[in-house]
């Protein structure tokens, strides 16, 4: 009997809800969430006649209003218990347009995802700016810069000396004084070392006077921009090939067979067939 009574009660409530359906369009307003138009519903308390859902409708509207204010302030919103309110309204009132609440909640949750991404990007940008500042400070302390469009890097501190290549503007280099040659500077660019006229480099940040475009290049550009001459590159290739040949020869040399003598001495048999004693560690 109790079950039948409960079912009858639910049926009556459902019927009453259907016959008492209202037009809620008078309480719809238009807003924008992240540039997208959205209709939001706010029904006054005195217009809510269903006692089973009034508390949940008002609770959902209160929490949605709070989220709307947070959104306008650029703050993160929160779901809280809004989805629970929505679920109860759906359960006890099949005709109330609760889908407006759901659409508004979904818009705030989508905004949260975008907002968190923005915050991560802002944090990453702050770290990058800090790292750039540290890097620039280190550059100012440790380097000099080529201040001409391009300069010839000489093999010796002499205008008649052969050039080993060109260094281009904004290449930052380590620069050193040259004894007896006050007009010259020895510059180091990675594995390359040569000489340039002192007038061709800026030894201080103030002297360089970098533009905004220069700063971007300095932050993101190469450590140096050096173009070797054909003769210098050929010399580098020869030196590299010689090193490789020496390495290959060392790897191809026959391994010695070290022998430990009865008294603990260590030796190998040389090409003449004689014992050649070495440090005892070779036999360990």
């Amino acid at each position: 009997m109790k079950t039948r009574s409960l079912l009858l009660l639910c049926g009556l409530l459902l019927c009453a809800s259907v016959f008492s359906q209202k037009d809620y369009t008078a309480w719809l307003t238009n807003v924008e969430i992240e540039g997208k138009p959205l209709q939001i519903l706010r029904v006054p308390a005195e217009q809510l006649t269903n006692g089973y859902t009034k508390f949940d409708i008002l609770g959902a509207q209160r929490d949605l209003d709070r989220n709307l204010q947070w959104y306008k302030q650029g703050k993160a919103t929160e779901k809280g218990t809004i989805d629970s309110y929505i679920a109860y309204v759906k359960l006890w009132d099949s005709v109330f347009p609760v889908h407006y609440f759901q659409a508004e909640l979904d818009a705030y949750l989508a905004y949260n995802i975008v907002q968190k991404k923005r915050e991560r990007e802002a944090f990453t940008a702050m770290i990058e700016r800090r790292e750039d500042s540290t890097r620039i400070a280190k550059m100012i302390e440790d380097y000099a810069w080529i201040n001409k469009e391009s300069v010839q890097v000489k093999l010796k501190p002499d205008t008649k000396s052969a050039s080993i290549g060109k260094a281009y503007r904004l290449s930052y280099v380590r620069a050193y004084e040259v004894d007896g040659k006050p007009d010259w500077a020895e510059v180091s660019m990675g594995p390359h070392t040569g000489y340039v006229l002192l007038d061709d480099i800026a030894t201080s940040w103030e002297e360089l006077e970098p533009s905004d475009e220069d700063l971007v290049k300095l932050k993101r550009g190469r450590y140096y921009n050096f173009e070797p001459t054909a003769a210098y590159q050929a010399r580098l290739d020869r030196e590299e090939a010689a090193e490789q040949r020496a390495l290959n020869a060392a790897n191809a040399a026959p391994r010695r067979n070290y022998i430990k003598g009865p008294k603990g001495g260590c030796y190998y048999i040389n090409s003449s067939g004689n014992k050649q004693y070495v440090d005892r560690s070779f036999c360990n």
Side-chain angles (χ1 to χ4, degrees):
M1 288 294 293
K2 289 183 178 179
T3 303
R4 290 182 180 179
S5 299
L6 181 60
L7 290 173
L8 180 60
L9 175 62
C10 290
L12 290 172
L13 288 171
L14 184 60
C15 290
S17 180
V18 170
F19 287 112
S20 62
Q21 185 173 2
K22 284 187 175 183
D23 180 7
Y24 292 96
T25 55
W27 299 293
L28 287 172
T29 55
N30 297 314
V31 298
E32 278 194 4
I33 305 296
E34 289 295 286
K36 297 179 181 179
L38 182 72
Q39 284 189 312
I40 64 173
L41 179 65
R42 299 293 187 268
V43 183
E46 60 272 14
Q47 299 295 328
L48 298 172
T49 57
N50 187 335
Y52 288 90
T53 58
K54 183 174 182 178
F55 170 83
D56 298 300
I57 292 172
L58 293 177
Q61 292 183 159
R62 180 193 63 241
D63 290 355
L64 288 169
D65 277 336
R66 184 168 62 240
N67 276 337
L68 182 59
Q69 291 303 313
W70 284 339
Y71 166 74
K72 290 178 178 179
Q73 296 170 12
K75 298 178 181 178
T77 61
E78 52 184 46
K79 181 169 65 174
T81 56
I82 299 174
D83 53 351
S84 297
Y85 291 139
I86 290 173
Y88 279 115
V89 175
K90 287 180 178 178
L91 178 64
W92 293 107
D93 192 339
S94 62
V95 296
F96 184 83
V98 74
H99 64 276
Y100 288 110
F101 292 168
Q102 186 66 59
E104 187 177 354
L105 175 60
D106 290 344
Y108 294 137
L109 296 179
Y111 157 74
N112 275 352
I113 295 173
V114 174
Q115 185 67 1
K116 286 179 181 178
K117 182 181 178 183
R118 288 175 183 152
E119 290 172 358
R120 287 196 301 270
E121 290 173 348
F123 179 76
T124 300
M126 181 193 71
I127 296 297
E128 288 177 352
R129 287 194 300 271
R130 186 179 299 170
E131 289 176 349
D132 284 343
S133 297
T134 302
R135 185 164 175 248
I136 292 296
K138 187 68 175 172
M139 287 165 52
I140 292 173
E141 180 182 350
D142 293 346
Y143 293 97
W145 298 267
I146 302 297
N147 61 11
K148 304 289 175 56
E149 287 305 312
S150 67
V151 300
Q152 294 290 335
V153 182
K154 298 290 187 174
L155 183 62
K156 297 179 180 180
D158 190 324
T159 54
K160 296 180 181 179
S161 175
S163 172
I164 65 170
K166 285 182 181 179
Y168 291 88
R169 187 172 182 272
L170 297 181
S171 292
Y172 39 110
V173 300
R174 295 189 183 277
Y176 308 93
E177 294 180 355
V178 181
D179 291 339
K181 297 281 186 175
D183 295 334
W184 289 84
E186 180 183 322
V187 293
S188 175
M189 300 169 288
H192 311 293
T193 299
Y195 298 86
V196 298
L197 288 167
L198 199 58
D199 288 342
D200 292 336
I201 61 174
T203 56
S204 70
W205 191 252
E206 292 76 14
E207 183 184 348
L208 182 65
E209 296 181 346
S211 64
D212 291 341
E213 184 180 354
D214 290 340
L215 283 172
V216 172
K217 290 180 180 178
L218 285 168
K219 291 173 185 177
R220 300 182 180 178
R222 297 169 55 186
Y223 174 79
Y224 57 86
N225 190 358
F226 177 70
E227 183 180 288
T229 62
Y232 178 61
Q233 185 62 55
R235 192 186 93 185
L236 294 177
D237 293 342
R238 288 195 300 272
E239 291 174 353
E240 183 179 357
E243 288 180 2
Q244 188 60 50
R245 286 194 300 272
L247 180 61
N248 293 340
N251 290 334
R255 294 180 61 84
R256 288 172 176 165
N257 183 27
Y258 294 102
I259 304 167
K260 189 173 183 179
K263 296 183 179 180
C266 184
Y267 64 90
Y268 66 92
I269 305 300
N270 60 25
S271 57
S272 301
N274 299 319
K275 293 180 180 180
Q276 180 68 51
Y277 281 90
V278 295
D279 190 274
R280 292 186 180 190
S281 62
F282 284 91
C283 288
N284 291 339

Coordinates of all heavy atoms in Angstrom, one line a residue, residues 135 143-146 153 166-174 187-193 217-218 220-228 232-233 236:
R135 N 70.0 36.0 -18.7 CA 70.9 35.7 -19.8 C 71.5 37.0 -20.3 O 72.7 37.1 -20.6 CB 70.1 35.1 -20.9 CG 70.9 34.6 -22.1 CD 70.1 33.6 -22.9 NE 70.9 33.3 -24.1 CZ 70.5 33.7 -25.4 NH1 69.4 34.4 -25.5 NH2 71.2 33.3 -26.4
Y143 N 80.6 39.3 -22.3 CA 80.9 39.4 -23.8 C 81.1 40.8 -24.3 O 80.7 41.8 -23.7 CB 79.7 38.7 -24.5 CG 79.7 37.2 -24.3 CD1 78.8 36.7 -23.3 CD2 80.5 36.3 -24.9 CE1 78.7 35.3 -23.0 CE2 80.4 34.9 -24.7 CZ 79.5 34.5 -23.7 OH 79.4 33.1 -23.5
A144 N 81.6 40.8 -25.5 CA 81.6 42.0 -26.4 C 80.9 41.6 -27.6 O 80.6 40.4 -27.9 CB 83.1 42.4 -26.7
W145 N 80.5 42.6 -28.5 CA 79.7 42.4 -29.6 C 80.3 43.0 -30.9 O 80.9 44.1 -30.8 CB 78.3 43.0 -29.4 CG 77.6 42.3 -28.3 CD1 76.7 41.3 -28.3 CD2 77.7 42.7 -26.9 NE1 76.3 41.0 -27.1 CE2 76.8 41.9 -26.2 CE3 78.4 43.7 -26.2 CZ2 76.7 42.0 -24.8 CZ3 78.2 43.8 -24.8 CH2 77.4 43.0 -24.1
I146 N 80.1 42.3 -32.0 CA 80.5 42.9 -33.3 C 79.5 44.0 -33.6 O 78.3 43.7 -33.6 CB 80.5 41.8 -34.4 CG1 81.5 40.7 -34.1 CG2 80.8 42.5 -35.8 CD1 82.9 41.1 -34.0
V153 N 87.8 38.8 -39.8 CA 88.6 38.3 -38.7 C 89.9 37.8 -39.2 O 90.0 36.9 -40.1 CB 87.8 37.1 -38.0 CG1 88.6 36.6 -36.8 CG2 86.4 37.5 -37.6
K166 N 84.5 36.0 -41.8 CA 83.7 37.1 -41.5 C 82.9 36.9 -40.2 O 82.3 35.8 -40.1 CB 82.7 37.5 -42.6 CG 83.4 38.2 -43.8 CD 82.3 38.6 -44.8 CE 82.9 39.2 -46.0 NZ 81.8 39.5 -47.0
A167 N 82.8 37.9 -39.4 CA 81.9 37.8 -38.2 C 80.9 38.9 -38.4 O 81.2 40.0 -38.8 CB 82.7 38.1 -36.9
Y168 N 79.6 38.6 -38.2 CA 78.5 39.5 -38.5 C 78.0 40.2 -37.3 O 78.2 39.8 -36.1 CB 77.4 38.8 -39.2 CG 77.8 38.3 -40.6 CD1 78.4 37.1 -40.8 CD2 77.5 39.2 -41.7 CE1 78.8 36.7 -42.1 CE2 77.9 38.8 -43.0 CZ 78.5 37.5 -43.2 OH 78.9 37.1 -44.4
R169 N 77.3 41.3 -37.5 CA 76.8 42.2 -36.4 C 76.0 41.4 -35.4 O 75.2 40.5 -35.8 CB 75.9 43.3 -37.0 CG 75.5 44.3 -36.0 CD 74.8 45.5 -36.6 NE 74.5 46.5 -35.6 CZ 73.4 46.5 -34.9 NH1 72.5 45.6 -35.2 NH2 73.1 47.4 -34.0
L170 N 76.2 41.8 -34.2 CA 75.5 41.2 -33.0 C 76.1 39.8 -32.6 O 75.6 39.2 -31.7 CB 74.0 41.1 -33.2 CG 73.2 42.4 -33.3 CD1 71.7 42.1 -33.5 CD2 73.5 43.3 -32.2
S171 N 77.1 39.3 -33.3 CA 77.8 38.2 -32.8 C 78.4 38.6 -31.5 O 79.1 39.6 -31.4 CB 78.9 37.7 -33.8 OG 78.4 37.2 -35.0
Y172 N 78.2 37.8 -30.5 CA 78.8 38.1 -29.2 C 80.0 37.2 -28.9 O 79.9 36.0 -29.1 CB 77.8 38.2 -28.0 CG 76.7 37.2 -27.9 CD1 76.7 36.2 -26.9 CD2 75.6 37.3 -28.8 CE1 75.7 35.3 -26.8 CE2 74.6 36.4 -28.7 CZ 74.6 35.4 -27.7 OH 73.6 34.5 -27.6
V173 N 81.1 37.8 -28.6 CA 82.4 37.2 -28.6 C 83.1 37.5 -27.3 O 82.8 38.5 -26.6 CB 83.3 37.6 -29.8 CG1 82.6 37.3 -31.1 CG2 83.6 39.1 -29.7
R174 N 84.0 36.6 -26.9 CA 84.9 37.0 -25.8 C 86.1 37.7 -26.4 O 86.7 37.3 -27.4 CB 85.4 35.7 -25.1 CG 84.3 35.0 -24.4 CD 84.8 33.8 -23.6 NE 83.7 33.1 -22.9 CZ 83.1 33.4 -21.8 NH1 83.5 34.5 -21.2 NH2 82.1 32.7 -21.3
V187 N 89.6 37.8 -30.5 CA 88.3 37.4 -30.2 C 88.2 35.9 -30.3 O 88.8 35.3 -31.2 CB 87.3 38.1 -31.2 CG1 87.2 39.6 -31.0 CG2 87.6 37.8 -32.7
S188 N 87.3 35.4 -29.4 CA 87.1 33.9 -29.4 C 85.6 33.7 -29.7 O 84.8 34.2 -29.0 CB 87.5 33.4 -28.1 OG 87.2 32.0 -28.0
M189 N 85.4 32.9 -30.7 CA 84.0 32.5 -31.1 C 83.9 31.0 -31.1 O 84.2 30.4 -32.2 CB 83.6 33.1 -32.4 CG 83.7 34.6 -32.5 SD 83.6 35.3 -34.2 CE 85.2 34.8 -34.8
G190 N 83.5 30.4 -30.0 CA 83.5 28.9 -30.0 C 84.9 28.4 -30.3 O 85.9 28.8 -29.6
P191 N 85.1 27.5 -31.3 CA 86.4 27.0 -31.6 C 87.3 27.9 -32.4 O 88.4 27.5 -32.6 CB 86.1 25.7 -32.4 CG 84.8 26.0 -33.1 CD 84.0 26.9 -32.1
H192 N 86.8 29.0 -32.8 CA 87.5 29.9 -33.7 C 88.1 31.1 -32.9 O 87.5 31.7 -32.1 CB 86.6 30.5 -34.8 CG 85.8 29.4 -35.5 ND1 86.4 28.5 -36.3 CD2 84.4 29.2 -35.4 CE1 85.4 27.7 -36.7 NE2 84.2 28.1 -36.2
T193 N 89.4 31.4 -33.2 CA 90.1 32.5 -32.5 C 90.8 33.3 -33.6 O 91.5 32.7 -34.5 CB 91.1 32.0 -31.5 OG1 90.4 31.3 -30.5 CG2 91.8 33.2 -30.9
K217 N 67.0 39.3 -31.5 CA 68.1 38.5 -32.1 C 69.1 38.0 -31.1 O 69.5 36.9 -31.2 CB 68.8 39.4 -33.2 CG 67.9 39.7 -34.4 CD 68.7 40.5 -35.4 CE 67.9 40.8 -36.7 NZ 68.6 41.7 -37.6
L218 N 69.4 38.9 -30.2 CA 70.4 38.5 -29.2 C 69.9 37.4 -28.3 O 70.6 36.5 -27.9 CB 70.8 39.7 -28.3 CG 71.8 40.7 -29.0 CD1 71.8 42.0 -28.2 CD2 73.1 40.1 -29.2
R220 N 67.5 35.2 -29.0 CA 67.1 33.9 -29.7 C 68.1 33.5 -30.8 O 68.0 32.4 -31.4 CB 65.7 34.1 -30.4 CG 64.6 34.4 -29.4 CD 63.3 34.5 -30.1 NE 62.2 34.8 -29.2 CZ 61.0 35.0 -29.5 NH1 60.6 35.0 -30.7 NH2 60.1 35.3 -28.6
G221 N 69.1 34.4 -31.1 CA 70.0 34.1 -32.1 C 71.1 33.1 -31.8 O 71.1 32.5 -30.7
R222 N 72.1 32.9 -32.7 CA 73.2 32.1 -32.4 C 74.2 32.7 -31.5 O 74.2 33.9 -31.3 CB 73.9 31.8 -33.8 CG 73.0 31.0 -34.8 CD 73.6 31.0 -36.1 NE 75.0 30.4 -36.1 CZ 75.8 30.4 -37.1 NH1 75.4 30.9 -38.3 NH2 77.0 29.9 -37.1
Y223 N 75.0 31.8 -30.9 CA 76.1 32.3 -30.0 C 77.0 33.2 -30.7 O 77.4 34.2 -30.2 CB 76.8 31.1 -29.5 CG 78.0 31.4 -28.6 CD1 77.9 31.8 -27.3 CD2 79.3 31.2 -29.1 CE1 79.0 32.0 -26.5 CE2 80.4 31.5 -28.4 CZ 80.2 31.9 -27.1 OH 81.3 32.1 -26.3
Y224 N 77.3 32.9 -32.0 CA 78.1 33.8 -32.8 C 77.7 33.5 -34.3 O 77.1 32.4 -34.6 CB 79.6 33.5 -32.7 CG 80.0 32.1 -32.9 CD1 80.3 31.7 -34.2 CD2 80.1 31.2 -31.9 CE1 80.7 30.4 -34.5 CE2 80.5 29.9 -32.1 CZ 80.8 29.5 -33.4 OH 81.1 28.2 -33.7
N225 N 77.9 34.4 -35.1 CA 77.6 34.2 -36.6 C 78.9 34.5 -37.3 O 79.3 35.6 -37.6 CB 76.5 35.2 -37.0 CG 76.0 35.0 -38.4 OD1 76.5 34.0 -39.1 ND2 75.0 35.8 -38.8
F226 N 79.6 33.4 -37.6 CA 80.9 33.4 -38.2 C 80.9 32.6 -39.5 O 80.4 31.5 -39.5 CB 81.9 32.8 -37.2 CG 83.3 32.8 -37.8 CD1 84.1 33.9 -38.1 CD2 83.9 31.5 -38.1 CE1 85.3 33.8 -38.6 CE2 85.2 31.5 -38.6 CZ 85.9 32.6 -38.9
E227 N 81.4 33.2 -40.6 CA 81.5 32.6 -41.9 C 83.0 32.4 -42.2 O 83.6 33.3 -42.6 CB 80.8 33.4 -42.9 CG 80.7 32.8 -44.3 CD 80.0 33.7 -45.2 OE1 78.7 33.9 -45.1 OE2 80.7 34.4 -46.1
P228 N 83.5 31.2 -42.2 CA 85.0 31.0 -42.4 C 85.3 31.1 -43.9 O 84.4 30.8 -44.8 CB 85.2 29.5 -42.0 CG 83.9 28.9 -42.1 CD 82.9 29.9 -41.8
Y232 N 90.6 28.8 -44.7 CA 90.5 28.5 -43.3 C 89.7 27.2 -43.1 O 90.1 26.3 -42.3 CB 89.9 29.6 -42.5 CG 89.8 29.4 -41.0 CD1 90.9 29.1 -40.2 CD2 88.5 29.5 -40.4 CE1 90.7 28.9 -38.9 CE2 88.4 29.2 -39.1 CZ 89.5 29.0 -38.3 OH 89.3 28.8 -37.0
Q233 N 88.6 27.1 -43.8 CA 87.8 25.9 -43.6 C 88.5 24.6 -44.1 O 88.4 23.5 -43.5 CB 86.5 26.0 -44.5 CG 85.5 24.8 -44.3 CD 85.0 24.7 -42.8 OE1 84.5 25.7 -42.3 NE2 85.2 23.5 -42.3
L236 N 90.8 23.6 -41.3 CA 90.1 23.0 -40.3 C 89.8 21.5 -40.7 O 89.9 20.6 -39.9 CB 88.8 23.7 -40.0 CG 88.9 25.1 -39.4 CD1 87.5 25.7 -39.2 CD2 89.6 25.1 -38.0

